[in-house]
Amino acid sequence: MQTLFTNGTMLTMDGAAVARAMLVEDDRILAVANDLRPGDATVVVDLQGRTVTPAFADCHVHLTFTGCQIVDGSLAGCRSVAELSDELLRAVRARPASGMVRRWNLDDARFTDRRPVQTDLDAISRDIPIVLSRVGNGASLLNSAARAAVGLDASVSTVEMRDGERTGWVWGEANHRALDFAVSSLTDDEVAAVARAAAQLAVQEGVTTLHAIEGSFAGQAQGHRDRANRSLQRLLPMLDNLPITVIPLDSQLDSPVDLARIAANGHQVAGGDLFFDGVLGAAYIPGMARAALDLPYTDGFGGNGHLLLDDAAATGFLREAARHGVSLGAHAVGERAIAQFLDGWERVTQENPEVRALRPRIDHGILPRDADIARAGDLGVVFSMQPVFERRSGGPDGQYANRVGPDRVRRTHRFRSLRDAGVTLVGGSDSPLNRVAPLEGVEAAVHHSIEAERLTPLEALAMFTTGAAWAGWREQTRGTLAPGMDADFAVLSADPRDGDRLAECRVVETWHAGMRVWSAADAS
């Protein structure tokens, strides 16, 4: 079937080219031009002056965790221990099919009374495991039943103690084990529901491609265990009938040997959260690993963060990824972690210059050194960034300023500097920490608190279209509106090239494989 879209602005993302009409046949674009005429059997869609862009991609999503917050429930609005207790009591009385209670996005920093602890959860149930993942998934709160089920004995150090007693809070390796337990408890029906929920969140924001970071972080880089990525194996069959394309990033990396498994499974990209360092922003609580900075933190907690891999291990992962032709993504936030990644990749490219074309990626890349910006461009390293973090935590009055001080806060999220150095920028959300909402990311990149680091609207859109397609090895089929490309596109209420109107720009329709998969009119 042919469909002709007329009376609109086709923002092709092929340079600055625009057109007034687009012809689609089945799941492919046939033509994009100013003057296209329908055939006898062509369906005509009048866009009424709206703007069409390539459908967006979100290149850093924890799909399972994102869907879980819908299927299980989010605690983002919870503001007291009493509210939390009421929510958990209802959940326990509902007798969950999985035999445990999971909840997500607990933000104890916003509680108005006090911080919840294990005894509060045990007062609800000492028999049914309860796992509450904190905002950002970097820490969790467990009741005693969950702690016992996860197997957190005295050998696991990342368990919070107060006055010789466990508080129920865990981070690091203990948290990874708790999240593994929570995800493994999902029934098959729940896994399917989680996938559908994440896809629905995506399409209502114009997104038809998700880079899904999936797999156990427990034991990461601690030695080969010859284990399958069970969570990804369970998820993959559920993706076939979704109204989106999911590019899985297998992040279960016990050792570099896992890259052979990933390549054998046909995955061209991997990682996304191979942790070179810790966190900088809202996910941090005392005790967690922090972003590895050059200079000490200024927030009173001391130190300059943590490199989680030594140089040999970091290089080993990159070398093995290159050997198997896999684009490896690593979590690197601070200057030292970013430099460590670039040092390792430079060694690998010196050993074999041909691998320079493999598109390795730094995920987050918040605080690079000036010299490393140019080096990233020279080495062909992609920066997979989440611009909304800058809007959320950047600027002179934001959380980053408290963490790193007034001088370094001017060097976070160097969008313009990186792009001018030839670095391919790709956009994401880090959902569920932030919403899957590319237009919010575009707005954040255009209105960076530091004017010199701002992108134009077209450049920011490229992060979620052409740049994202490049990072996912989909540039031959996604990212632009052109003949032969997939008919994946978003219809917007306003022209996103007007930076002053970005805040009012909304997704009106989302099309995937030539079919409309979401409409604001139907949703209302």
Side-chain angles (χ1 to χ4, degrees), residues 82-111:
E83 286 182 34
L84 177 63
S85 298
D86 288 344
E87 166 66 20
L88 296 179
L89 187 59
R90 286 191 295 270
V92 167
R93 287 174 174 170
R95 296 187 178 277
S98 62
M100 69 169 296
V101 172
R102 302 174 301 265
R103 289 295 184 272
W104 308 85
N105 287 340
L106 173 66
D107 194 350
D108 54 293
R110 296 191 176 189
F111 274 37

Short mmCIF file of all heavy atoms in Angstrom, two decimals, residues 82-111:
data_model
loop_
_atom_site.label_atom_id
_atom_site.label_comp_id
_atom_site.label_asym_id
_atom_site.label_seq_id
_atom_site.Cartn_x
_atom_site.Cartn_y
_atom_site.Cartn_z
N ALA A 82 5.33 6.54 56.13
CA ALA A 82 3.93 6.12 56.24
C ALA A 82 3.34 5.83 54.86
O ALA A 82 2.65 4.81 54.66
CB ALA A 82 3.11 7.19 56.95
N GLU A 83 3.60 6.72 53.89
CA GLU A 83 3.11 6.48 52.52
C GLU A 83 3.72 5.21 51.95
O GLU A 83 3.03 4.41 51.30
CB GLU A 83 3.47 7.67 51.63
CG GLU A 83 2.64 8.91 51.84
CD GLU A 83 3.05 10.02 50.86
OE1 GLU A 83 3.42 9.69 49.71
OE2 GLU A 83 3.00 11.19 51.24
N LEU A 84 5.00 5.02 52.19
CA LEU A 84 5.68 3.83 51.69
C LEU A 84 5.08 2.58 52.31
O LEU A 84 4.82 1.59 51.61
CB LEU A 84 7.17 3.92 52.02
CG LEU A 84 8.03 2.70 51.63
CD1 LEU A 84 8.02 2.50 50.13
CD2 LEU A 84 9.46 2.88 52.14
N SER A 85 4.83 2.60 53.60
CA SER A 85 4.27 1.44 54.28
C SER A 85 2.89 1.09 53.74
O SER A 85 2.56 -0.09 53.53
CB SER A 85 4.20 1.69 55.79
OG SER A 85 5.50 1.89 56.32
N ASP A 86 2.07 2.11 53.48
CA ASP A 86 0.73 1.87 52.92
C ASP A 86 0.82 1.20 51.55
O ASP A 86 0.08 0.26 51.25
CB ASP A 86 -0.05 3.19 52.80
CG ASP A 86 -0.49 3.74 54.16
OD1 ASP A 86 -0.46 2.96 55.14
OD2 ASP A 86 -0.84 4.93 54.23
N GLU A 87 1.75 1.69 50.71
CA GLU A 87 1.92 1.13 49.38
C GLU A 87 2.37 -0.33 49.46
O GLU A 87 1.85 -1.20 48.75
CB GLU A 87 2.94 1.96 48.59
CG GLU A 87 3.47 1.32 47.32
CD GLU A 87 2.43 1.14 46.24
OE1 GLU A 87 1.39 1.84 46.30
OE2 GLU A 87 2.65 0.31 45.32
N LEU A 88 3.31 -0.62 50.32
CA LEU A 88 3.84 -1.97 50.42
C LEU A 88 2.82 -2.93 51.04
O LEU A 88 2.74 -4.10 50.66
CB LEU A 88 5.12 -1.98 51.24
CG LEU A 88 6.29 -1.21 50.61
CD1 LEU A 88 7.52 -1.27 51.52
CD2 LEU A 88 6.63 -1.73 49.22
N LEU A 89 2.03 -2.43 51.98
CA LEU A 89 1.00 -3.28 52.58
C LEU A 89 -0.03 -3.71 51.53
O LEU A 89 -0.44 -4.87 51.48
CB LEU A 89 0.32 -2.54 53.73
CG LEU A 89 -0.67 -3.36 54.57
CD1 LEU A 89 0.02 -4.56 55.19
CD2 LEU A 89 -1.30 -2.48 55.65
N ARG A 90 -0.40 -2.77 50.66
CA ARG A 90 -1.33 -3.11 49.57
C ARG A 90 -0.70 -4.15 48.65
O ARG A 90 -1.37 -5.09 48.19
CB ARG A 90 -1.71 -1.86 48.78
CG ARG A 90 -2.67 -0.93 49.50
CD ARG A 90 -3.22 0.13 48.57
NE ARG A 90 -2.19 1.03 48.10
CZ ARG A 90 -1.84 2.16 48.73
NH1 ARG A 90 -2.46 2.51 49.85
NH2 ARG A 90 -0.90 2.94 48.24
N ALA A 91 0.58 -3.98 48.36
CA ALA A 91 1.26 -4.91 47.46
C ALA A 91 1.34 -6.32 48.05
O ALA A 91 1.11 -7.31 47.35
CB ALA A 91 2.67 -4.39 47.15
N VAL A 92 1.63 -6.42 49.34
CA VAL A 92 1.73 -7.73 49.98
C VAL A 92 0.35 -8.40 50.02
O VAL A 92 0.23 -9.61 49.76
CB VAL A 92 2.32 -7.58 51.40
CG1 VAL A 92 2.12 -8.86 52.20
CG2 VAL A 92 3.80 -7.22 51.32
N ARG A 93 -0.68 -7.64 50.31
CA ARG A 93 -2.03 -8.21 50.37
C ARG A 93 -2.51 -8.69 49.01
O ARG A 93 -3.37 -9.57 48.92
CB ARG A 93 -2.99 -7.17 50.94
CG ARG A 93 -2.81 -6.95 52.44
CD ARG A 93 -3.67 -5.81 52.93
NE ARG A 93 -3.61 -5.69 54.40
CZ ARG A 93 -4.10 -4.67 55.08
NH1 ARG A 93 -4.71 -3.65 54.43
NH2 ARG A 93 -4.01 -4.65 56.40
N ALA A 94 -1.95 -8.10 47.93
CA ALA A 94 -2.35 -8.50 46.58
C ALA A 94 -1.76 -9.83 46.16
O ALA A 94 -2.10 -10.36 45.10
CB ALA A 94 -1.94 -7.42 45.57
N ARG A 95 -0.85 -10.39 46.97
CA ARG A 95 -0.22 -11.68 46.71
C ARG A 95 0.38 -11.73 45.30
O ARG A 95 -0.18 -12.36 44.39
CB ARG A 95 -1.21 -12.83 46.90
CG ARG A 95 -1.71 -12.95 48.33
CD ARG A 95 -2.57 -14.20 48.53
NE ARG A 95 -2.99 -14.32 49.92
CZ ARG A 95 -2.26 -14.85 50.90
NH1 ARG A 95 -1.05 -15.31 50.61
NH2 ARG A 95 -2.71 -14.92 52.13
N PRO A 96 1.50 -11.08 45.10
CA PRO A 96 2.09 -11.01 43.76
C PRO A 96 2.42 -12.38 43.20
O PRO A 96 2.85 -13.29 43.92
CB PRO A 96 3.36 -10.20 43.99
CG PRO A 96 3.65 -10.31 45.46
CD PRO A 96 2.31 -10.41 46.12
N ALA A 97 2.21 -12.54 41.87
CA ALA A 97 2.40 -13.83 41.21
C ALA A 97 3.84 -14.31 41.32
O ALA A 97 4.11 -15.51 41.38
CB ALA A 97 2.00 -13.72 39.74
N SER A 98 4.78 -13.38 41.36
CA SER A 98 6.19 -13.75 41.41
C SER A 98 6.63 -14.16 42.80
O SER A 98 7.76 -14.62 42.98
CB SER A 98 7.05 -12.58 40.94
OG SER A 98 6.88 -11.46 41.80
N GLY A 99 5.77 -13.97 43.81
CA GLY A 99 6.12 -14.35 45.17
C GLY A 99 6.96 -13.33 45.90
O GLY A 99 7.45 -13.61 47.00
N MET A 100 7.14 -12.14 45.32
CA MET A 100 7.89 -11.08 45.99
C MET A 100 7.31 -9.74 45.58
O MET A 100 6.50 -9.65 44.64
CB MET A 100 9.37 -11.14 45.61
CG MET A 100 9.67 -10.76 44.18
SD MET A 100 11.45 -10.54 43.87
CE MET A 100 11.83 -9.13 44.92
N VAL A 101 7.72 -8.70 46.29
CA VAL A 101 7.29 -7.34 45.97
C VAL A 101 8.49 -6.58 45.44
O VAL A 101 9.54 -6.51 46.09
CB VAL A 101 6.71 -6.63 47.21
CG1 VAL A 101 6.46 -5.15 46.92
CG2 VAL A 101 5.42 -7.31 47.66
N ARG A 102 8.34 -6.02 44.25
CA ARG A 102 9.35 -5.15 43.63
C ARG A 102 8.75 -3.77 43.45
O ARG A 102 7.62 -3.63 42.97
CB ARG A 102 9.76 -5.69 42.25
CG ARG A 102 10.32 -7.09 42.23
CD ARG A 102 10.56 -7.53 40.78
NE ARG A 102 9.31 -7.50 40.01
CZ ARG A 102 8.53 -8.56 39.81
NH1 ARG A 102 8.87 -9.73 40.32
NH2 ARG A 102 7.41 -8.46 39.12
N ARG A 103 9.50 -2.75 43.79
CA ARG A 103 9.11 -1.38 43.49
C ARG A 103 10.36 -0.61 43.08
O ARG A 103 11.49 -0.97 43.44
CB ARG A 103 8.44 -0.70 44.69
CG ARG A 103 7.04 -1.23 45.01
CD ARG A 103 6.04 -0.94 43.90
NE ARG A 103 4.69 -1.36 44.24
CZ ARG A 103 4.18 -2.57 44.03
NH1 ARG A 103 4.95 -3.52 43.48
NH2 ARG A 103 2.93 -2.85 44.34
N TRP A 104 10.16 0.50 42.37
CA TRP A 104 11.26 1.20 41.71
C TRP A 104 11.20 2.69 41.97
O TRP A 104 10.17 3.25 42.33
CB TRP A 104 11.21 0.91 40.20
CG TRP A 104 11.14 -0.56 39.92
CD1 TRP A 104 10.00 -1.34 39.90
CD2 TRP A 104 12.23 -1.46 39.72
NE1 TRP A 104 10.33 -2.66 39.68
CE2 TRP A 104 11.68 -2.76 39.55
CE3 TRP A 104 13.61 -1.29 39.63
CZ2 TRP A 104 12.48 -3.88 39.33
CZ3 TRP A 104 14.39 -2.41 39.40
CH2 TRP A 104 13.84 -3.67 39.25
N ASN A 105 12.32 3.36 41.76
CA ASN A 105 12.43 4.83 41.85
C ASN A 105 12.16 5.37 43.25
O ASN A 105 11.64 6.47 43.41
CB ASN A 105 11.49 5.53 40.84
CG ASN A 105 11.98 5.39 39.42
OD1 ASN A 105 13.16 5.13 39.17
ND2 ASN A 105 11.09 5.56 38.46
N LEU A 106 12.54 4.62 44.26
CA LEU A 106 12.48 5.13 45.63
C LEU A 106 13.49 6.27 45.78
O LEU A 106 14.67 6.10 45.49
CB LEU A 106 12.80 4.01 46.61
CG LEU A 106 12.94 4.40 48.09
CD1 LEU A 106 11.60 4.88 48.63
CD2 LEU A 106 13.46 3.22 48.91
N ASP A 107 13.02 7.42 46.22
CA ASP A 107 13.91 8.58 46.40
C ASP A 107 13.83 9.03 47.85
O ASP A 107 13.08 9.95 48.21
CB ASP A 107 13.51 9.71 45.46
CG ASP A 107 14.58 10.79 45.36
OD1 ASP A 107 15.54 10.74 46.17
OD2 ASP A 107 14.47 11.68 44.50
N ASP A 108 14.63 8.39 48.69
CA ASP A 108 14.59 8.69 50.12
C ASP A 108 15.04 10.10 50.43
O ASP A 108 14.69 10.66 51.48
CB ASP A 108 15.47 7.70 50.87
CG ASP A 108 16.88 7.64 50.31
OD1 ASP A 108 17.05 7.19 49.16
OD2 ASP A 108 17.83 8.08 51.00
N ALA A 109 15.79 10.74 49.52
CA ALA A 109 16.25 12.11 49.76
C ALA A 109 15.07 13.08 49.81
O ALA A 109 15.21 14.19 50.35
CB ALA A 109 17.23 12.53 48.67
N ARG A 110 13.93 12.70 49.29
CA ARG A 110 12.76 13.59 49.27
C ARG A 110 11.75 13.26 50.37
O ARG A 110 10.70 13.89 50.45
CB ARG A 110 12.07 13.51 47.90
CG ARG A 110 12.94 14.01 46.76
CD ARG A 110 12.15 14.17 45.49
NE ARG A 110 12.95 14.74 44.42
CZ ARG A 110 12.47 15.15 43.26
NH1 ARG A 110 11.17 15.05 43.01
NH2 ARG A 110 13.26 15.65 42.33
N PHE A 111 12.07 12.29 51.20
CA PHE A 111 11.15 11.97 52.29
C PHE A 111 11.15 13.13 53.29
O PHE A 111 12.20 13.68 53.63
CB PHE A 111 11.58 10.67 52.99
CG PHE A 111 11.03 9.44 52.32
CD1 PHE A 111 10.92 9.36 50.94
CD2 PHE A 111 10.61 8.35 53.07
CE1 PHE A 111 10.41 8.23 50.32
CE2 PHE A 111 10.11 7.21 52.48
CZ PHE A 111 10.01 7.15 51.10
#
